[in-house]
Each structure stands twice: as C-alpha cells, then as structure tokens.
Amino acid sequence: AHFDVGAGVIIEPVVQYVVNPNSFWNPFTARRAKDGFYAGATLVVPLGTLLGLAPG
C-alpha cells in the first residue's frame, strides 16, 4: 500500500508471513527460527519538496 499523508509525505506499510526462515545471517546459532509475522512501515519525506526546491 502507498498512503499519501499530504505535502508529499508518504507512508508505506508492509505485513508479511515468513514461512520456513533460515539462519543465514547467524549461521552459528543453535536455535532454529520459527514461522511468524513481520510488520513494518516506511516513511518517505521528500525534503526538497518540503523546502520548495525544484525537482531534478
């Protein structure tokens, strides 16, 4: 999803269900990761637009 809050500020939420994760980034762990949910968001703030600068 992509939600425009106003003045070019945008929120992009994400929800994922992770199936059969691995331990690639921590290969020496004795614990195995379980399936589960991941939730997060990205906040986009165009500083150039908010400051009144011309694009590009």
Side-chain angles (χ1 to χ4, degrees):
H2 187 87
F3 298 106
D4 189 359
V5 179
V9 178
I10 300 165
I11 296 177
E12 297 175 343
V14 60
V15 176
Q16 299 176 359
Y17 183 70
V18 181
V19 178
N20 196 17
N22 62 28
S23 60
F24 179 81
W25 297 108
N26 191 7
F28 301 111
T29 183
R31 304 175 98 191
R32 181 184 162 111
K34 297 180 181 178
D35 296 351
F37 283 97
Y38 165 81
T42 301
L43 177 64
V44 180
V45 180
L47 295 177
T49 303
L50 294 176
L51 295 174
L53 302 174

